[in-house]
Every structure is written in C-alpha cells, then in structure tokens.
C-alpha cells in the first residue's frame, strides 16, 4: 500500500487553461465529507495525536477494481502528517512487512515502516487499512510502531 501512497499526483504544467475537477482522473483532493458520499463503505477516522491544521481526502483510481480512499491529517507548522488509506479490495495477497502486534479488535498488523515513514497495515471486516506517519515532508518517521498501533485502536 505504501507504493500506492508514495506514487503521488502528476500535474500537467503545459496547459494554462482552467481545470474542471470533473474532467480529472483520480486522485483529486476533496473534503472528507465529499469522500464519504462517494465511497461505498464507512470511513473510520483515527484520533490524531497532534493539532491538525489541514485535512484532505483523495479517492484513488483503481481502474474500477475496488474503492480506495486516502485521508491526510497534517500540521503544516510542525511538518507532521498522518495518513490513513482504506480500501475494499478483495485481492488476497500476502502482506509485506514484519508481522507484529494485534489490534484490540483482533486484527493482525504488519510493520511496513522504513527510514522515511512509519507505517502499519491490517485487514478488518472486508477492508484493508494502512496508517502512515512522517515528518519533515516524509523524510523521517513521526511515530514508532507501538504509537501507530495505539492510533489504529482509536478508529471510529
């Protein structure tokens, strides 16, 4: 899931004409409320342990295979962000990373962090979740694995 997150957006800088967001392919940045109206599953949000100065959602293009949403919570003043990605993908591939702790709901988690971000992955009730944190433009992890587990346990 992290490669999907890190792929980012490609912008077309050759055109000076106004862009109609309905003509854009995913991902287009929208509000969480707009995303909730478009996604066919409940979007559970975590309790974010820092003051959020900016929040946005992106519905990711999966060629119609499944629904995927990414919500970013950021504190621009302190260079911190927390990102949750949720999909209803039915693809049954083994997760990557180090198998580790279980959430309070019994879901098995995998540590998918690296030198740039801390990240965990889990599946629950037909949905796949990734929780990613970073600071300084994702040049270094923001939270340790246990803190991400604690945050994941707050999803409501």
């Amino acid at each position: 899931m992290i490669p999907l997150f890190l792929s980012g957006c490609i912008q077309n800088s050759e055109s000076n004409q106004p862009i109609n967001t309905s003509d854009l392919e995913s991902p287009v940045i929208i509000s969480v409320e707009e995303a909730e109206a478009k996604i066919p599953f409940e979007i559970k949000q975590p309790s974010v342990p820092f003051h959020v100065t900016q929040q946005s959602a992106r519905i990711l293009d999966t060629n119609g295979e499944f629904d995927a949403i990414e919500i970013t919570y950021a504190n621009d003043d302190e260079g911190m962000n927390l990102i949750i990605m949720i999909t209803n993908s039915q693809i049954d591939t083994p997760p990557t990373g180090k198998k580790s702790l279980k959430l309070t709901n019994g879901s098995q988690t995998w540590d998918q962090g690296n030198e740039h971000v801390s990240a965990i992955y889990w599946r629950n009730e037909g949905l796949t979740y990734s929780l990613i944190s970073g600071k300084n433009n994702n040049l270094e992890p923001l939270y340790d694995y246990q803190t991400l587990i604690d945050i994941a346990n707050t999803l409501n």
Side-chain angles (χ1 to χ4, degrees), residues 79-92:
M80 300 184 297
N81 66 62
L82 181 70
I83 300 163
I84 186 159
M85 182 180 292
I86 310 168
T87 77
N88 62 355
S89 173
Q90 298 302 307
I91 298 171
D92 192 20

Side-chain angles (χ1 to χ4, degrees), residues 3-70:
L4 183 60
F5 156 70
L6 295 176
S7 65
C9 297
I10 299 174
Q11 295 181 353
N12 183 354
S13 60
E14 296 176 11
S15 174
N16 291 327
Q17 296 182 359
I19 296 175
N20 181 346
T21 56
S22 64
D23 295 335
L24 291 177
E25 291 185 19
S26 180
V28 174
I29 296 175
I30 59 177
S31 71
V32 173
E33 293 77 17
E34 290 172 298
E36 288 175 326
K38 295 177 187 257
I39 294 291
F41 51 81
E42 180 185 1
I43 299 172
K44 294 183 178 182
Q45 297 188 61
S47 176
V48 181
F50 58 80
H51 176 71
V52 175
T53 61
Q54 183 178 17
Q55 178 179 337
S56 63
R58 298 186 317 160
I59 296 175
L60 305 174
D61 184 10
T62 63
N63 295 320
E65 293 181 21
F66 56 90
D67 300 288
I69 182 166
E70 175 187 281

Side-chain angles (χ1 to χ4, degrees), residues 27-145:
V28 174
I29 296 175
I30 59 177
S31 71
V32 173
E33 293 77 17
E34 290 172 298
E36 288 175 326
K38 295 177 187 257
I39 294 291
F41 51 81
E42 180 185 1
I43 299 172
K44 294 183 178 182
Q45 297 188 61
S47 176
V48 181
F50 58 80
H51 176 71
V52 175
T53 61
Q54 183 178 17
Q55 178 179 337
S56 63
R58 298 186 317 160
I59 296 175
L60 305 174
D61 184 10
T62 63
N63 295 320
E65 293 181 21
F66 56 90
D67 300 288
I69 182 166
E70 175 187 281
I71 302 172
T72 301
Y73 310 90
N75 182 310
D76 295 331
D77 299 330
E78 298 184 34
M80 300 184 297
N81 66 62
L82 181 70
I83 300 163
I84 186 159
M85 182 180 292
I86 310 168
T87 77
N88 62 355
S89 173
Q90 298 302 307
I91 298 171
D92 192 20
T93 57
T96 60
K98 178 183 168 190
K99 186 175 180 178
S100 197
L101 303 174
K102 289 189 177 184
L103 299 177
T104 55
N105 66 14
S107 298
Q108 179 65 58
T109 66
W110 283 264
D111 182 350
Q112 296 187 319
N114 60 32
E115 67 274 6
H116 301 293
V117 295
S118 49
I120 62 172
Y121 164 96
W122 72 97
R123 292 181 178 156
N124 186 44
E125 297 179 353
L127 299 177
T128 301
Y129 297 83
S130 292
L131 189 61
I132 305 154
S133 73
K135 59 184 176 180
N136 300 323
N137 293 319
N138 290 332
L139 294 176
E140 57 185 298
L142 177 58
Y143 296 117
D144 62 15
Y145 182 80

